[in-house]
């Protein structure tokens, strides 16, 4: 029994959406990994902000 054309088109669209979503998740994961690594090394903005806050506290 042949598959109707609309079903085939739907599968193509679904496959394209899922591939795009998977690539987006991988890209977001890589970006988060890089950002956390930079923060741990003190080179990121979050790390610099934390160091600045610690330096501005009064010693006592």
């Amino acid at each position: 029994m042949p598959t109707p054309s609309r079903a085939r088109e739907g599968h193509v669209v679904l496959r394209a959406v899922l591939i795009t979503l998977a690539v987006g998740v991988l890209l977001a994961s890589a970006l988060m990994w890089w950002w956390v690594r930079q923060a741990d090394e003190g080179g990121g903005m979050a790390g610099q902000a934390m160091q600045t806050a610690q330096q501005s506290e009064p010693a006592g």
Side-chain angles (χ1 to χ4, degrees), residues 1-54:
M1 184 168 151
T3 306
S5 178
R6 286 195 174 263
R8 188 174 302 276
E9 290 175 11
H11 285 115
V12 170
V13 170
L14 181 61
R15 181 179 290 179
V17 168
L18 290 176
I19 289 172
T20 303
L21 183 62
V23 169
V25 168
L26 287 173
L27 183 62
S29 297
L31 185 62
M32 287 173 49
W33 172 80
W34 175 81
W35 186 70
V36 168
R37 185 173 173 196
Q38 291 296 319
D40 287 345
E41 292 177 357
M45 294 183 68
Q48 290 175 354
M50 189 173 290
Q51 289 174 357
T52 304
Q54 289 174 350

